[in-house]
Amino acid sequence: MPMIIEINHVTKTVKGNDLLKDIDLRITKPGVYGVIGRNGSGKSVLFKTIAGLLRPTTGEVKVFGEKVGNGRFPKHFGALFDLPGFVPRYTAFNNLKLLASIRGIISTEDIRQVISKVGLDPDDRRPVKKYSYGMRQRLGIAQAIMENPSLLILDEPMNGLDETGVEEIRGMILEFKKQGMTVLIASHNSEDIKLLCDQVYRMDQGKLTLHQTETVS
Amino acid sequence: MGNLLRYHYRLLICTPTLLVVPAAFLLNAVIAGISNDWKLPYSGLKSVAFLLYLPTNPSFDLVRWLLILTPYLLITGLYLHDEFTGRFVNVSIQSKRSTLWLDSFLIVMTLFITVGTILGFCINMMAGFLINDGGEAVWMEGSMFEKVNAVNLLVREFILMNGSAMIAVLTNILLTLLFRNMGVATLLTVTSIIVSFAVARLATPLIPWLPINMGLTAFNEIQPFSLFHGTTVSVAMIVILIALIRLVFRYRLESLFIEGLKQEG
């Protein structure tokens, strides 16, 4: 069985700045994996490299055994980066329908279900521009999970959420774990990491080190 | 590719955007009507061609020319801005190939300009027939209006104006990718249109080699060139711009994924 994520000696240099320094990482079992670190430490760059959006300067990234980057994206994965962009004049349902239409592998019923799953109303007629920050963040998570990925990358998913929202998203992530999904999560909040993650890595000035390990069952 | 074409089509070719372009053409017709005391020197289809026959008054008609081109620049520029500041990452992940996003956008953008220009011509046709007066005097002796029939004149205006709009929009896209700033790119594109207009007035032999002006049919009176020549130069320029856009897009791709476009203000 191929490894879920395999990163071999990856560096990423942009305009002379080393954003990633000799990163090695192997994830073999499904679970929740956290990355902590200050702003600008390289967490987002690492996640975007795993997602195939950025090409490593040296080294290689494999997801489910296949090399990614340089125009190749991983299969069976979903991602949430920053505050996701949606069409402001569209409803939540129409936004997801538009994105889903690019691959055309899920039904409108699946879209309705995933919107309900993140605590939003699929029949809400309000355009997304009237949504709060937290509601857009939930919609971003819905977009990331709508095609039922095996690997989910969440970059600061709790940003802008109120206490109830944070609790709900935590519950969702634990549910994804139960379903056998692999979740990579970056968070500032040490409580999120403590409650959710099986293994925690620290990112500091482009270097990744193992911070804490729980038992990944 | 088909699904991405539908994606861009749904967002770019919608009622609001399709209203703005004909509105600019309508305003152009009104300005042309006012500046001719609502008496056009030709009747029928020639009156329609006359409304799009720029420039009769060089400095004033530069404003009319910018009026026609600016909606194309703003609509496609704002669309690019919205894509690159939010949706582009999601769409790339969904489509699994970023270059497909660009190719499908360029195809839909071409369709948008063509549909916009067709609607604009229809609006001008209505305005031309409403205003048309048949005029008492021949407006310009020996002009194209005397030599070329109305349909040929309209076809010529449509092809070359469409080409000019394409070149302006492609220039704007290229500059947006280069500077990663939509505002700066639009300002530079408008400046290049003005400079090209000024060069054509000052160095008339260059007129047949300034593709961004090709839609200004009246320049053809100053320095004649054939429709074939105009089309060839425009198409060559479009091909060069598309090649440059594809090159810069690949070069800029990672910075677009990391930071998106620079925000205005």
Side-chain angles (χ1 to χ4, degrees):
Chain A
M1 190 180 165
M3 272 190 231
I4 297 167
I5 296 173
E6 185 182 355
I7 302 179
N8 295 316
H9 302 293
V10 161
T11 60
K12 180 69 187 169
T13 307
V14 177
K15 291 176 192 165
N17 295 320
D18 294 330
L19 305 181
L20 300 179
K21 293 175 188 166
D22 197 25
I23 306 275
D24 271 304
L25 177 70
R26 271 152 194 73
I27 291 179
T28 53
K29 290 178 185 171
V32 182
Y33 298 84
V35 178
I36 53 170
R38 282 180 295 181
N39 278 344
S41 60
K43 301 189 297 292
S44 294
V45 174
L46 174 66
F47 281 11
K48 285 180 178 173
T49 308
I50 295 169
L53 295 166
L54 306 180
R55 183 178 52 186
T57 307
T58 60
E60 63 171 17
V61 177
K62 286 182 181 174
V63 178
F64 300 120
E66 290 183 18
K67 205 172 162 184
V68 300
N70 203 12
R72 283 188 293 262
F73 291 89
K75 288 174 185 159
H76 318 297
F77 98 109
L80 170 75
F81 290 110
D82 313 315
L83 183 63
F86 292 107
V87 184
R89 63 177 188 276
Y90 278 23
T91 62
F93 176 79
N94 284 337
N95 262 294
L96 293 200
K97 196 175 161 195
L98 181 73
L99 275 174
S101 73
I102 294 171
R103 296 186 67 200
I105 57 170
I106 56 169
S107 67
T108 51
E109 193 43 46
D110 294 331
I111 296 169
R112 294 178 66 83
Q113 276 178 13
V114 82
I115 293 174
S116 301
K117 199 171 183 177
V118 296
L120 296 173
D121 177 6
D123 295 318
D124 191 343
R125 303 307 305 159
R126 278 179 301 168
V128 165
K129 67 181 170 196
K130 301 237 166 117
Y131 276 23
S132 66
Y133 192 97
M135 288 168 86
R136 269 185 265 176
Q137 195 76 349
R138 284 166 195 247
L139 188 59
I141 293 174
Q143 163 264 312
I145 61 168
M146 69 181 173
E147 289 175 352
N148 204 16
S150 307
L151 170 65
L152 182 62
I153 295 174
L154 301 173
D155 191 2
E156 302 286 358
M158 314 299 186
N159 267 2
L161 294 179
D162 56 21
E163 216 168 294
T164 321
V166 169
E167 282 303 319
E168 283 174 11
I169 300 295
R170 280 178 187 162
M172 251 183 260
I173 292 170
L174 291 173
E175 188 59 34
F176 299 151
K177 183 182 164 183
K178 269 191 210 159
Q179 291 166 8
M181 210 184 270
T182 303
V183 184
L184 272 184
I185 177 172
S187 180
H188 284 105
N189 189 328
S190 56
E191 205 181 339
D192 291 338
I193 297 293
K194 204 170 146 190
L195 284 170
L196 297 170
C197 297
D198 301 306
Q199 211 160 57
V200 182
Y201 295 87
R202 174 178 289 280
M203 196 82 189
D204 187 22
Q205 295 184 332
K207 286 202 147 202
L208 188 74
T209 48
L210 186 62
H211 183 67
Q212 169 197 325
T213 308
E214 300 287 327
T215 311
V216 183
S217 51
Chain B
M1 179 72 140
N3 291 340
L4 271 172
L5 285 173
R6 267 195 295 278
Y7 168 84
H8 289 300
Y9 177 85
R10 280 180 199 163
L11 293 177
L12 192 57
I13 306 184
C14 54
T15 314
T17 59
L18 284 181
L19 283 176
V20 174
V21 175
F25 274 86
L26 179 64
L27 197 55
N28 166 64
V30 170
I31 294 170
I34 291 170
S35 55
N36 288 285
D37 291 331
W38 301 102
K39 286 184 195 304
L40 304 185
Y42 297 98
S43 58
L45 281 177
K46 279 196 175 171
S47 68
V48 181
F50 180 79
L51 290 176
L52 296 160
Y53 183 85
L54 303 157
T56 48
N57 174 337
S59 51
F60 183 60
D61 280 323
L62 172 61
V63 177
R64 281 172 63 198
W65 183 227
L66 289 175
L67 178 72
I68 287 174
L69 292 184
T70 307
Y72 293 114
L73 295 179
L74 288 182
I75 290 166
T76 52
L78 286 171
Y79 181 74
L80 266 192
H81 182 265
D82 287 349
E83 284 289 302
F84 286 144
T85 49
R87 302 191 289 261
F88 181 57
V89 170
N90 290 344
V91 175
S92 292
I93 289 170
Q94 282 295 108
S95 65
K96 309 278 183 203
R97 269 183 69 190
S98 310
T99 47
L100 273 186
W101 176 94
L102 179 69
D103 293 340
S104 51
F105 168 65
L106 291 175
I107 293 169
V108 174
M109 182 271 299
T110 306
L111 184 68
F112 163 70
I113 290 173
T114 309
V115 171
T117 311
I118 289 172
L119 289 175
F121 267 61
C122 291
I123 290 286
N124 266 37
M125 208 165 274
M126 284 189 267
F129 284 122
L130 281 175
I131 303 170
N132 119 45
D133 171 73
E136 57 281 357
V138 172
W139 172 70
M140 190 192 278
E141 215 166 311
S143 79
M144 290 173 76
F145 284 85
E146 305 297 310
K147 295 181 218 157
V148 183
N149 75 46
V151 174
N152 282 354
L153 202 55
L154 275 175
V155 168
R156 182 191 175 91
E157 279 180 344
F158 177 79
I159 291 172
L160 295 181
M161 198 172 270
N162 216 33
S164 287
M166 277 283 290
I167 291 163
V169 169
L170 288 171
T171 306
N172 200 28
I173 295 169
L174 179 65
L175 293 173
T176 302
L177 289 171
L178 272 175
F179 295 102
R180 289 199 296 117
N181 188 317
M182 195 275 266
V184 170
T186 307
L187 195 68
L188 285 174
T189 307
V190 169
T191 307
S192 71
I193 295 168
I194 295 169
V195 168
S196 181
F197 190 96
V199 169
R201 297 294 305 177
L202 295 171
T204 51
L206 290 178
I207 285 175
W209 305 104
L210 294 168
I212 211 163
N213 290 339
M214 292 290 183
L216 294 161
T217 320
F219 274 180
N220 200 165
E221 302 283 11
I222 305 168
Q223 188 71 39
F225 60 87
S226 66
L227 174 61
F228 178 76
H229 171 87
T231 310
T232 309
V233 172
S234 297
V235 169
M237 188 69 187
I238 287 167
V239 170
I240 292 168
L241 282 168
I242 289 174
L244 286 173
I245 286 169
R246 288 178 62 92
L247 201 72
V248 175
F249 180 77
R250 280 174 183 274
Y251 172 72
R252 278 285 187 216
L253 194 54
E254 291 211 338
S255 48
L256 288 169
F257 281 140
I258 295 175
E259 298 167 308
L261 285 190
K262 289 170 188 162
Q263 301 290 317
E264 262 59 66

